[in-house]
Structures are given as C-alpha cells and as structure tokens.
C-alpha cells in the first residue's frame, strides 16, 4: 500500500518536472524506472534526485576501457591538487615533506593490495609504461646471456609491440597460442622455455574476453625453471585476490584508471627478493630508485593509493554484485535470443567482462543501434581499425562471428536497471537486425551457410 | 567515552542516506545508497562495543566524504 502511494508520488513528481526531461524519449533511465512497475528498486531513490543534467547521457557499460573515479578517491586527491602542491622530492621544506609522506602512504596502500613490500612498488604513468619497463627493461638488462622471451597471442598491444621492437633489436620472441577457451596450454609453455629465456609475460585477466589465466601455475613453472614472470594485471588488480608471493610473480603492471582511480598513473611491482634487475627506460634525476626518473605526480599517486585501499575493502562486495549482474545479463540474453556465443572460458572468467557474439548481426551496426548505451566491440586501443579483434582471432572465432562481437562491462557502479535496459534494447535490436538480414532468412529456411558457393562478380 | 547507542547508529544511517541523495551523478547516487544500506545491514548483529565504535568512526568519516563531494556537486556544473 505504502509502496504504491510512494510510486504515484514519484510518478507525479517526474511528470510535473519542466523542460527537456519531458520531451526526451525513453532514453533517460529516470523516466524508464517510472514507466515500468518498480521491482526491487525503491522508486523514491531516483524521484528525489536533485535538478540534474538536462542533457541525458548514455549508460556506461564499458568499464574495461576506463572506470569513473570513486568519490572516495577524488576526496583523497583534492587536497593535493589545491593546497598540498609540493614536489615530493624537495627535501628542504614542509611542502616537500608532506607530499613525500603522501606518496609513501600511497605506495604502502598499493603494496598492501598485492602482498608486496612498499619498496617494490615504482610509480609510472600507467600500465603501458609499466609493461614497457617490464618487457624491455628485463630483456635488455640480461641481453648478454639471455636472448629469448615468451608471451601470448592475446596480450595487450603494448606488450606485443614491445616484443616486436625487441625482435628488431635482435631478441627472439615466442608468441604462445591460446586454446579455444582463451587460456594458454601449460605444457606448451613448459616446452617453449629455453635455457636462454629471460622473461615470460602473461596477462592475468584479458581486457577483451575477461578470461583468467592460471597465474599461480605459470608462476610455479617459471620459478622452477629460473625464468622471470611478468603479468599485466591492469584488469585484475583490486578485482580478484592477488598475492605476488603466493603466485610467484616477479613483475606486475598496475593501472590506475581501471580500478576507479585517476588516469595517467600506474605502478610496476618489481621483486626484490630475489632481486629482479631492470634497465631503466627513462633517464633523469634518479627518482623511484633510478628505475623511473621524473617527478612523481603526488595527486595522481595519492588517487592510485586510495583506489587500491578502497578496492581491498570492497573486493568481496563488488565481486558479489558484479557476478549477480553478469549472471542476470547473460541469462536474459541467452534465453531470449538463439545463436549467441560467449567468447572465452565460462569457468576461468572474470564476471565483469562479458564478450558475446551475435550470429548474423554486424557488430558495428548493433553498437550504433544501441546508441543509449556506451559499449564497445573489442579493446579501445584497437577500436579505430575495422579489423576484427586479434584476441578473438587467437581463440579461433570464425571470421563472421568475430565481426559480431560486443563487450559488456559491469563495474562497481553499474545498477540492475542499467543492465535490464541494456538487455532489453540489445534483444530488440538484434531481433530487428536479424529480420533485415538475408543470411538469417537463409538459416531459417534450413540452408547451411558454409555450403554456399558465393559467385564472383 | 560510552559506546554509540542504537539511536546514534540509526541517526548516522539516516544522515548518510540523506546526504547520498544529493549526488547529482546517477551512478554515484545509486551506489552510495545501496552500499550504505548493505553495510549497515551486514553489521547489524555486531555485539562487541569496540568493534561497533570502529565501524561508527569509519561511517562518520565516510559521511564527511559524502558531504564534501556532494557540496562540490552543487557548486559546479561542468
């Protein structure tokens, strides 16, 4: 009874609101919540929202590309952007001392998240720089005795590109293939290790298909064969439990803006016991133990530290929430549409990254149809090119299915309503696009598309 | 200092929910409300007064964060 009166009050409040909101079609989430009978969401939440953006913006479902700042992180950063603006390397005055204290506090926060010692954390400008330092730095330091590196075909572009540039310098690189599930074959890894291998680099969670590699097992293999193990953990840090000692990781890349921290900052973990030597890429005043010269950006690292601390506290809660929403999204889509394939191993999988291929529908046209939802069909780094993603090609996806893939990202701030809206629109547009597709018609008539001989014009 | 009473904890809960509704961004607003509800619900059976006080202190700090961040929202419309 109370719920219904609350709902009517909320509906009246929204209808009474002036101007642009009443004209906008059901793009706005606020309007949508009132249209449907409220399920679990209490309607008064959204109805008492203050006078907000008069321009409605799309729902954000692309957390693998970047994440919004957590308010707690921004709160930690602001004093260092306004009042405490000293250079942390100034040793002679209070401005320097307080900045340095903040920087060291942040270092401790990052270290504590991954089970490391603060002296093993070096701040960088992001995971790309960290990956460059790890791959090129280790390879070049040991170049007199070791000339071989191993990585996988599904790594991030910055790792693959670093390896390519090392090949031009005379190194030898093995790019391990992955199984259909997206996971590497451990036996192949063992077979690939040579006496002159210096580094193995395998990412923890893939940014396009969300697959989790068997990091602990890889660490075990590498440590027994005396090879350094680097992992690009940009998508995994703060989301799944990681411990550099339990998993025998020697180097790890961390990205700030994937864990609700600021953009432009990251960190690299470099093991001290036993010591991993790295040739510095950036020369200068010797900051960060000589491994990465340059003034450490205090507000950004404070943000990174705060993001890591929040992530450590919220990891379990976030994982539960994201898993629940991911299950909801996948179940609803798979139950309402035939011929939908989820790319990547369903078991060794981070729930917040769901990559689905909708057969007989072109991925770009589906993305454009879903204009109220911010989605992507692959990584942001490669979104400019028209080629299908190399990750999907590596897991053996058919050419046509690779073109039809969409990546749904669910994060800490994603709501159930956003997921429901996305699912509804997705189902609607996939059905509509399939109606228009002659290939779909042929499939409905029972024709096997692979048996067709397309004529030349 | 006496440990926080049930009434004080409830006041804190209501204050946090009230302040959270002032976030102008939809995602922050919904997250704050949901997180506050779930956190208080999860800890409702804690009996140890020291632990209760720790949780209350943390909640007070978080309330200050919400106040600062929502105040910023009202002043600026980027």
């Amino acid at each position: 009874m109370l719920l219904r009166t609350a709902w009517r009050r909320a509906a009246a409040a929204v209808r009474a609101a002036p101007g642009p909101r009443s004209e906008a079609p059901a793009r706005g989430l606020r309007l949508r919540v009132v249209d449907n009978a409220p399920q679990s969401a209490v309607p008064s939440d959204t109805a008492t929202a203050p006078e907000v953006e008069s321009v409605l913006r799309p729902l954000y479902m692309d957390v693998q590309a970047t994440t919004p700042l957590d308010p707690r992180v921004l709160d930690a950063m602001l004093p260092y952007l306004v009042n405490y603006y000293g250079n942390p390397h100034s040793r002679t005055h209070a401005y320097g001392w307080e900045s340095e204290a903040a920087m060291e506090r942040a270092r401790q926060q990052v270290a504590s998240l991954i089970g490391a010692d603060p002296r093993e954390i070096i701040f960088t400008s992001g995971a790309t720089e960290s990956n460059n330092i790890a791959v090129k730095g280790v390879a070049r330091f040991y170049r007199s005795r070791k000339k071989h590196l191993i990585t996988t075909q599904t790594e991030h572009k910055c790792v693959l590109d670093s390896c390519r540039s090392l090949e031009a310098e005379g190194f030898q690189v093995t790019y391990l293939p992955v199984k259909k599930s997206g996971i590497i074959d451990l036996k192949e890894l063992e077979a690939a290790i040579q006496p002159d291998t210096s580094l193995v680099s395998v990412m923890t969670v893939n940014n396009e298909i969300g697959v989790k590699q068997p990091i602990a097992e890889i660490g075990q293999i590498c440590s027994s064969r005396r090879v350094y193990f680097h992992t690009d953990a940009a998508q995994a840090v703060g989301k799944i439990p990681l411990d550099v000692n339990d998993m025998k990781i020697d180097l790890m890349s961390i990205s700030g803006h994937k864990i609700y921290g600021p953009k432009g900052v990251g960190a690299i973990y470099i093991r001290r016991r036993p010591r991993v030597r790295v040739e510095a890429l950036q020369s200068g005043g010797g900051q960060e133990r000589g491994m990465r010269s340059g003034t450490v950006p205090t507000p950004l690292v404070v943000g990174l530290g705060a993001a890591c601390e929040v992530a450590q506290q919220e990891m379990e809660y976030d994982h539960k929430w994201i898993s629940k929403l991911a299950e909801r999204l996948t179940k609803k889509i798979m139950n309402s549409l035939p011929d939908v394939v989820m790319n990547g191993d369903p078991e060794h999988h981070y729930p917040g990254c769901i990559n689905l291929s909708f057969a007989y529908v072109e991925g770009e046209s589906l993305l454009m149809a879903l204009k109220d939802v911010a989605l992507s069909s692959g990584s942001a780094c490669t979104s400019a090119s028209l080629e299908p993603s190399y990750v999907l090609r590596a897991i053996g996806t058919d050419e046509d299915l690779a073109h039809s893939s969409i990546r749904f990202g669910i994060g800490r701030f994603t709501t159930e309503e956003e997921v429901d809206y996305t699912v509804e629109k997705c189902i609607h547009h996939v059905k509509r696009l399939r109606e228009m597709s002659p290939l779909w018609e042929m499939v409905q008539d029972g024709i096997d598309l692979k048996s067709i001989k397309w004529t030349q014009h | 200092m006496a440990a926080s009473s049930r009434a004080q904890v409830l006041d804190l809960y209501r204050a946090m929910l009230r302040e959270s509704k002032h976030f102008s961004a939809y995602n922050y607003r919904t997250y704050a409300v949901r997180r506050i509800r779930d956190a208080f619900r999860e800890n409702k059976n804690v009996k140890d007064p020291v632990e209760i006080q720790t949780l209350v202190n943390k909640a007070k700090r978080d309330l200050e964060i919400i106040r600062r961040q929502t105040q910023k929202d009202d002043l600026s419309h980027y």
Side-chain angles (χ1 to χ4, degrees), chain A residues 160-190:
Chain A
L160 295 177
D161 215 54
S162 300
C163 290
R164 205 158 301 133
S165 88
L166 285 176
E167 281 182 321
E169 285 178 29
F171 288 87
Q172 213 202 342
V173 182
T174 303
Y175 299 93
L176 287 176
V178 292
K179 299 186 277 204
K180 273 209 82 86
S181 58
I183 302 178
I184 62 163
D185 188 332
L186 292 169
K187 295 209 184 41
E188 277 190 31
L189 169 64
E190 278 192 272

mmCIF file of all heavy atoms in Angstrom, chain A residues 160-190:
data_model
loop_
_atom_site.group_PDB
_atom_site.id
_atom_site.type_symbol
_atom_site.label_atom_id
_atom_site.label_comp_id
_atom_site.label_asym_id
_atom_site.label_seq_id
_atom_site.Cartn_x
_atom_site.Cartn_y
_atom_site.Cartn_z
ATOM 1 N N LEU A 160 52.757 -6.717 -26.852
ATOM 2 C CA LEU A 160 53.095 -7.278 -28.166
ATOM 3 C C LEU A 160 54.007 -6.341 -28.938
ATOM 4 O O LEU A 160 54.959 -6.763 -29.594
ATOM 5 C CB LEU A 160 51.814 -7.558 -28.964
ATOM 6 C CG LEU A 160 50.899 -8.636 -28.383
ATOM 7 C CD1 LEU A 160 49.636 -8.765 -29.215
ATOM 8 C CD2 LEU A 160 51.612 -9.979 -28.324
ATOM 9 N N ASP A 161 53.719 -5.046 -28.848
ATOM 10 C CA ASP A 161 54.519 -4.076 -29.573
ATOM 11 C C ASP A 161 55.924 -3.966 -28.992
ATOM 12 O O ASP A 161 56.906 -3.795 -29.725
ATOM 13 C CB ASP A 161 53.818 -2.716 -29.533
ATOM 14 C CG ASP A 161 54.021 -1.965 -30.818
ATOM 15 O OD1 ASP A 161 53.709 -2.531 -31.890
ATOM 16 O OD2 ASP A 161 54.536 -0.833 -30.771
ATOM 17 N N SER A 162 56.029 -4.050 -27.661
ATOM 18 C CA SER A 162 57.360 -4.034 -27.025
ATOM 19 C C SER A 162 58.158 -5.234 -27.488
ATOM 20 O O SER A 162 59.356 -5.120 -27.801
ATOM 21 C CB SER A 162 57.245 -4.083 -25.502
ATOM 22 O OG SER A 162 56.530 -3.003 -25.018
ATOM 23 N N CYS A 163 57.508 -6.382 -27.557
ATOM 24 C CA CYS A 163 58.203 -7.588 -28.028
ATOM 25 C C CYS A 163 58.654 -7.423 -29.463
ATOM 26 O O CYS A 163 59.767 -7.813 -29.833
ATOM 27 C CB CYS A 163 57.294 -8.813 -27.906
ATOM 28 S SG CYS A 163 56.995 -9.319 -26.210
ATOM 29 N N ARG A 164 57.782 -6.820 -30.283
ATOM 30 C CA ARG A 164 58.136 -6.624 -31.684
ATOM 31 C C ARG A 164 59.359 -5.723 -31.806
ATOM 32 O O ARG A 164 60.262 -5.967 -32.589
ATOM 33 C CB ARG A 164 56.959 -6.022 -32.446
ATOM 34 C CG ARG A 164 56.996 -6.336 -33.921
ATOM 35 C CD ARG A 164 55.620 -6.230 -34.557
ATOM 36 N NE ARG A 164 54.672 -7.142 -33.926
ATOM 37 C CZ ARG A 164 53.452 -6.792 -33.546
ATOM 38 N NH1 ARG A 164 53.010 -5.564 -33.723
ATOM 39 N NH2 ARG A 164 52.656 -7.668 -32.987
ATOM 40 N N SER A 165 59.404 -4.678 -30.982
ATOM 41 C CA SER A 165 60.548 -3.767 -31.079
ATOM 42 C C SER A 165 61.808 -4.457 -30.567
ATOM 43 O O SER A 165 62.916 -4.189 -31.044
ATOM 44 C CB SER A 165 60.268 -2.462 -30.337
ATOM 45 O OG SER A 165 60.630 -2.561 -28.994
ATOM 46 N N LEU A 166 61.662 -5.381 -29.608
ATOM 47 C CA LEU A 166 62.824 -6.132 -29.149
ATOM 48 C C LEU A 166 63.325 -7.092 -30.222
ATOM 49 O O LEU A 166 64.532 -7.320 -30.358
ATOM 50 C CB LEU A 166 62.484 -6.926 -27.881
ATOM 51 C CG LEU A 166 62.371 -6.124 -26.585
ATOM 52 C CD1 LEU A 166 61.933 -7.024 -25.461
ATOM 53 C CD2 LEU A 166 63.688 -5.458 -26.241
ATOM 54 N N GLU A 167 62.385 -7.634 -31.006
ATOM 55 C CA GLU A 167 62.802 -8.518 -32.099
ATOM 56 C C GLU A 167 63.696 -7.760 -33.064
ATOM 57 O O GLU A 167 64.673 -8.289 -33.593
ATOM 58 C CB GLU A 167 61.582 -9.068 -32.846
ATOM 59 C CG GLU A 167 60.912 -10.202 -32.114
ATOM 60 C CD GLU A 167 59.721 -10.775 -32.871
ATOM 61 O OE1 GLU A 167 58.964 -9.995 -33.478
ATOM 62 O OE2 GLU A 167 59.549 -11.997 -32.826
ATOM 63 N N ALA A 168 63.350 -6.482 -33.276
ATOM 64 C CA ALA A 168 64.177 -5.652 -34.164
ATOM 65 C C ALA A 168 65.555 -5.418 -33.564
ATOM 66 O O ALA A 168 66.515 -5.148 -34.279
ATOM 67 C CB ALA A 168 63.479 -4.319 -34.418
ATOM 68 N N GLU A 169 65.665 -5.540 -32.240
ATOM 69 C CA GLU A 169 66.969 -5.362 -31.595
ATOM 70 C C GLU A 169 67.773 -6.654 -31.575
ATOM 71 O O GLU A 169 68.883 -6.678 -31.045
ATOM 72 C CB GLU A 169 66.778 -4.900 -30.147
ATOM 73 C CG GLU A 169 66.379 -3.450 -30.007
ATOM 74 C CD GLU A 169 66.161 -3.070 -28.550
ATOM 75 O OE1 GLU A 169 66.804 -3.664 -27.663
ATOM 76 O OE2 GLU A 169 65.320 -2.189 -28.316
ATOM 77 N N GLY A 170 67.166 -7.740 -32.059
ATOM 78 C CA GLY A 170 67.910 -8.991 -32.116
ATOM 79 C C GLY A 170 67.467 -10.049 -31.131
ATOM 80 O O GLY A 170 68.075 -11.098 -31.019
ATOM 81 N N PHE A 171 66.382 -9.787 -30.382
ATOM 82 C CA PHE A 171 65.873 -10.796 -29.470
ATOM 83 C C PHE A 171 64.965 -11.758 -30.219
ATOM 84 O O PHE A 171 64.488 -11.480 -31.308
ATOM 85 C CB PHE A 171 65.071 -10.152 -28.344
ATOM 86 C CG PHE A 171 65.910 -9.421 -27.358
ATOM 87 C CD1 PHE A 171 66.248 -8.090 -27.570
ATOM 88 C CD2 PHE A 171 66.355 -10.039 -26.213
ATOM 89 C CE1 PHE A 171 67.023 -7.409 -26.659
ATOM 90 C CE2 PHE A 171 67.130 -9.359 -25.296
ATOM 91 C CZ PHE A 171 67.474 -8.036 -25.522
ATOM 92 N N GLN A 172 64.708 -12.916 -29.576
ATOM 93 C CA GLN A 172 63.815 -13.903 -30.160
ATOM 94 C C GLN A 172 62.588 -13.999 -29.269
ATOM 95 O O GLN A 172 62.721 -14.089 -28.042
ATOM 96 C CB GLN A 172 64.575 -15.233 -30.137
ATOM 97 C CG GLN A 172 64.299 -16.174 -31.244
ATOM 98 C CD GLN A 172 64.685 -17.585 -30.801
ATOM 99 O OE1 GLN A 172 65.431 -17.782 -29.835
ATOM 100 N NE2 GLN A 172 64.150 -18.564 -31.474
ATOM 101 N N VAL A 173 61.403 -13.959 -29.864
ATOM 102 C CA VAL A 173 60.184 -13.990 -29.047
ATOM 103 C C VAL A 173 59.285 -15.134 -29.485
ATOM 104 O O VAL A 173 59.060 -15.323 -30.682
ATOM 105 C CB VAL A 173 59.395 -12.663 -29.167
ATOM 106 C CG1 VAL A 173 58.172 -12.695 -28.278
ATOM 107 C CG2 VAL A 173 60.272 -11.482 -28.821
ATOM 108 N N THR A 174 58.763 -15.887 -28.533
ATOM 109 C CA THR A 174 57.759 -16.913 -28.839
ATOM 110 C C THR A 174 56.397 -16.389 -28.426
ATOM 111 O O THR A 174 56.196 -16.009 -27.271
ATOM 112 C CB THR A 174 58.045 -18.204 -28.035
ATOM 113 O OG1 THR A 174 59.349 -18.651 -28.322
ATOM 114 C CG2 THR A 174 57.053 -19.288 -28.394
ATOM 115 N N TYR A 175 55.456 -16.348 -29.368
ATOM 116 C CA TYR A 175 54.090 -15.917 -29.050
ATOM 117 C C TYR A 175 53.246 -17.172 -28.882
ATOM 118 O O TYR A 175 52.857 -17.800 -29.855
ATOM 119 C CB TYR A 175 53.531 -15.046 -30.180
ATOM 120 C CG TYR A 175 54.325 -13.782 -30.424
ATOM 121 C CD1 TYR A 175 55.345 -13.758 -31.369
ATOM 122 C CD2 TYR A 175 54.051 -12.608 -29.726
ATOM 123 C CE1 TYR A 175 56.081 -12.610 -31.585
ATOM 124 C CE2 TYR A 175 54.782 -11.453 -29.947
ATOM 125 C CZ TYR A 175 55.804 -11.462 -30.878
ATOM 126 O OH TYR A 175 56.533 -10.321 -31.105
ATOM 127 N N LEU A 176 52.964 -17.553 -27.633
ATOM 128 C CA LEU A 176 52.216 -18.779 -27.395
ATOM 129 C C LEU A 176 50.776 -18.649 -27.866
ATOM 130 O O LEU A 176 50.120 -17.652 -27.593
ATOM 131 C CB LEU A 176 52.176 -19.089 -25.892
ATOM 132 C CG LEU A 176 53.452 -19.601 -25.230
ATOM 133 C CD1 LEU A 176 53.189 -19.731 -23.741
ATOM 134 C CD2 LEU A 176 53.865 -20.936 -25.817
ATOM 135 N N PRO A 177 50.275 -19.675 -28.554
ATOM 136 C CA PRO A 177 48.857 -19.636 -28.926
ATOM 137 C C PRO A 177 47.991 -19.954 -27.701
ATOM 138 O O PRO A 177 48.497 -20.457 -26.694
ATOM 139 C CB PRO A 177 48.735 -20.750 -29.965
ATOM 140 C CG PRO A 177 49.830 -21.705 -29.625
ATOM 141 C CD PRO A 177 50.927 -20.907 -28.993
ATOM 142 N N VAL A 178 46.687 -19.654 -27.805
ATOM 143 C CA VAL A 178 45.779 -19.989 -26.709
ATOM 144 C C VAL A 178 44.768 -21.018 -27.199
ATOM 145 O O VAL A 178 44.516 -21.133 -28.393
ATOM 146 C CB VAL A 178 45.030 -18.751 -26.166
ATOM 147 C CG1 VAL A 178 45.985 -17.825 -25.472
ATOM 148 C CG2 VAL A 178 44.288 -18.036 -27.274
ATOM 149 N N LYS A 179 44.188 -21.731 -26.255
ATOM 150 C CA LYS A 179 43.166 -22.706 -26.631
ATOM 151 C C LYS A 179 41.874 -21.954 -26.960
ATOM 152 O O LYS A 179 41.781 -20.741 -26.784
ATOM 153 C CB LYS A 179 42.924 -23.670 -25.463
ATOM 154 C CG LYS A 179 44.171 -24.455 -25.070
ATOM 155 C CD LYS A 179 43.851 -25.488 -24.009
ATOM 156 C CE LYS A 179 43.856 -24.847 -22.636
ATOM 157 N NZ LYS A 179 44.106 -25.820 -21.556
ATOM 158 N N LYS A 180 40.866 -22.698 -27.403
ATOM 159 C CA LYS A 180 39.594 -22.070 -27.758
ATOM 160 C C LYS A 180 39.004 -21.323 -26.556
ATOM 161 O O LYS A 180 38.235 -20.382 -26.712
ATOM 162 C CB LYS A 180 38.588 -23.137 -28.207
ATOM 163 C CG LYS A 180 38.670 -23.471 -29.671
ATOM 164 C CD LYS A 180 37.315 -23.921 -30.203
ATOM 165 C CE LYS A 180 36.381 -22.789 -30.552
ATOM 166 N NZ LYS A 180 36.474 -22.220 -31.844
ATOM 167 N N SER A 181 39.367 -21.785 -25.351
ATOM 168 C CA SER A 181 38.820 -21.146 -24.163
ATOM 169 C C SER A 181 39.501 -19.816 -23.885
ATOM 170 O O SER A 181 39.056 -19.046 -23.055
ATOM 171 C CB SER A 181 39.030 -22.064 -22.965
ATOM 172 O OG SER A 181 40.411 -22.320 -22.815
ATOM 173 N N GLY A 182 40.634 -19.570 -24.555
ATOM 174 C CA GLY A 182 41.374 -18.332 -24.306
ATOM 175 C C GLY A 182 42.507 -18.528 -23.313
ATOM 176 O O GLY A 182 43.297 -17.619 -23.079
ATOM 177 N N ILE A 183 42.599 -19.727 -22.747
ATOM 178 C CA ILE A 183 43.631 -19.986 -21.740
ATOM 179 C C ILE A 183 44.814 -20.657 -22.417
ATOM 180 O O ILE A 183 44.629 -21.465 -23.331
ATOM 181 C CB ILE A 183 43.046 -20.880 -20.626
ATOM 182 C CG1 ILE A 183 41.837 -20.168 -20.020
ATOM 183 C CG2 ILE A 183 44.057 -21.190 -19.564
ATOM 184 C CD1 ILE A 183 41.145 -20.954 -18.961
ATOM 185 N N ILE A 184 46.036 -20.368 -21.923
ATOM 186 C CA ILE A 184 47.205 -20.987 -22.567
ATOM 187 C C ILE A 184 47.362 -22.428 -22.090
ATOM 188 O O ILE A 184 46.837 -22.819 -21.050
ATOM 189 C CB ILE A 184 48.517 -20.220 -22.263
ATOM 190 C CG1 ILE A 184 48.826 -20.229 -20.764
ATOM 191 C CG2 ILE A 184 48.457 -18.816 -22.774
ATOM 192 C CD1 ILE A 184 50.266 -19.871 -20.484
ATOM 193 N N ASP A 185 48.079 -23.185 -22.890
ATOM 194 C CA ASP A 185 48.340 -24.576 -22.542
ATOM 195 C C ASP A 185 49.648 -24.605 -21.746
ATOM 196 O O ASP A 185 50.697 -24.221 -22.249
ATOM 197 C CB ASP A 185 48.471 -25.395 -23.843
ATOM 198 C CG ASP A 185 48.558 -26.885 -23.565
ATOM 199 O OD1 ASP A 185 49.034 -27.263 -22.474
ATOM 200 O OD2 ASP A 185 48.144 -27.650 -24.440
ATOM 201 N N LEU A 186 49.584 -25.057 -20.493
ATOM 202 C CA LEU A 186 50.765 -25.030 -19.635
ATOM 203 C C LEU A 186 51.892 -25.903 -20.177
ATOM 204 O O LEU A 186 53.072 -25.570 -20.023
ATOM 205 C CB LEU A 186 50.389 -25.464 -18.213
ATOM 206 C CG LEU A 186 49.485 -24.468 -17.482
ATOM 207 C CD1 LEU A 186 48.941 -25.065 -16.207
ATOM 208 C CD2 LEU A 186 50.235 -23.189 -17.185
ATOM 209 N N LYS A 187 51.512 -27.007 -20.836
ATOM 210 C CA LYS A 187 52.567 -27.887 -21.393
ATOM 211 C C LYS A 187 53.315 -27.164 -22.500
ATOM 212 O O LYS A 187 54.530 -27.297 -22.632
ATOM 213 C CB LYS A 187 51.942 -29.175 -21.942
ATOM 214 C CG LYS A 187 51.321 -30.022 -20.876
ATOM 215 C CD LYS A 187 51.356 -31.508 -21.225
ATOM 216 C CE LYS A 187 50.640 -32.335 -20.181
ATOM 217 N NZ LYS A 187 49.379 -31.736 -19.689
ATOM 218 N N GLU A 188 52.579 -26.398 -23.316
ATOM 219 C CA GLU A 188 53.234 -25.648 -24.384
ATOM 220 C C GLU A 188 54.180 -24.615 -23.810
ATOM 221 O O GLU A 188 55.265 -24.370 -24.347
ATOM 222 C CB GLU A 188 52.188 -24.952 -25.251
ATOM 223 C CG GLU A 188 51.599 -25.845 -26.297
ATOM 224 C CD GLU A 188 50.744 -25.073 -27.291
ATOM 225 O OE1 GLU A 188 51.047 -23.902 -27.551
ATOM 226 O OE2 GLU A 188 49.782 -25.676 -27.789
ATOM 227 N N LEU A 189 53.773 -24.005 -22.694
ATOM 228 C CA LEU A 189 54.636 -23.015 -22.053
ATOM 229 C C LEU A 189 55.923 -23.668 -21.593
ATOM 230 O O LEU A 189 57.024 -23.167 -21.832
ATOM 231 C CB LEU A 189 53.906 -22.383 -20.868
ATOM 232 C CG LEU A 189 54.764 -21.509 -19.939
ATOM 233 C CD1 LEU A 189 55.300 -20.303 -20.684
ATOM 234 C CD2 LEU A 189 53.952 -21.047 -18.725
ATOM 235 N N GLU A 190 55.781 -24.833 -20.931
ATOM 236 C CA GLU A 190 56.983 -25.524 -20.445
ATOM 237 C C GLU A 190 57.899 -25.889 -21.585
ATOM 238 O O GLU A 190 59.121 -25.777 -21.477
ATOM 239 C CB GLU A 190 56.560 -26.795 -19.695
ATOM 240 C CG GLU A 190 56.154 -26.521 -18.284
ATOM 241 C CD GLU A 190 56.023 -27.773 -17.455
ATOM 242 O OE1 GLU A 190 54.921 -28.351 -17.458
ATOM 243 O OE2 GLU A 190 57.015 -28.166 -16.826
#
